[in-house]
Amino acid sequence: MSTLRGKQKRYLRAQAHSMHPLVNVGKNGLSKIWLDQVEDAIEKRELFKIAILQNADVDVTEVKAYIEANSPIEIVQTIGRILVVYKRSNNPDNREFSNEVDGI
């Protein structure tokens, strides 16, 4: 499923290290609207973290499977209740990380 190689994932993990989660999964769980918001955000940023709140009805594996099954977004890493996600932006002006990833 993943098209990223090990060195590319290592680079992305390093870049995401100091980031704070941008999107949360709460008690409302997963939905198409939530995924649309994630896809809009990732189109602008390419790389960010998703936090699964304590009151969420889903766990990390369910969120990971839902994202991978319903979108082209790739899961770079999971740490506890945090997922690091990446997708190459279709807009060349928003390609902050993908140009570097392509060179690795």
Side-chain angles (χ1 to χ4, degrees):
M1 225 182 270
S2 178
T3 60
L4 293 172
R5 295 186 307 274
K7 287 184 179 184
Q8 292 170 325
K9 284 186 177 183
R10 188 175 341 136
Y11 167 77
L12 292 170
R13 286 194 308 262
Q15 296 303 311
H17 178 73
S18 62
M19 292 180 179
H20 294 287
L22 182 69
V23 177
N24 294 321
V25 178
K27 66 179 181 176
N28 294 333
L30 304 171
S31 67
K32 178 65 177 148
I33 295 169
W34 177 83
L35 188 60
D36 289 343
Q37 291 174 345
V38 170
E39 288 177 339
D40 288 344
I42 206 155
E43 185 60 36
K44 294 180 181 120
R45 298 174 194 255
E46 290 192 319
L47 179 73
F48 63 82
K49 291 181 178 179
I50 297 174
I52 301 169
L53 302 178
Q54 294 292 328
N55 65 348
D57 294 335
V58 293
D59 64 0
V60 176
T61 55
E62 292 171 326
V63 174
K64 183 177 177 181
Y66 183 79
I67 291 172
E68 289 177 338
N70 297 303
S71 72
I73 298 171
E74 296 188 55
I75 308 299
V76 176
Q77 181 181 30
T78 58
I79 303 172
R81 298 177 70 87
I82 305 288
L83 289 102
V84 177
V85 296
Y86 168 79
K87 179 187 166 287
R88 180 184 176 92
S89 177
N90 294 326
N91 183 350
D93 295 336
N94 295 337
R95 291 184 186 158
E96 180 179 350
F97 300 105
S98 59
N99 292 333
E100 186 69 30
V101 168
D102 292 344
I104 297 175

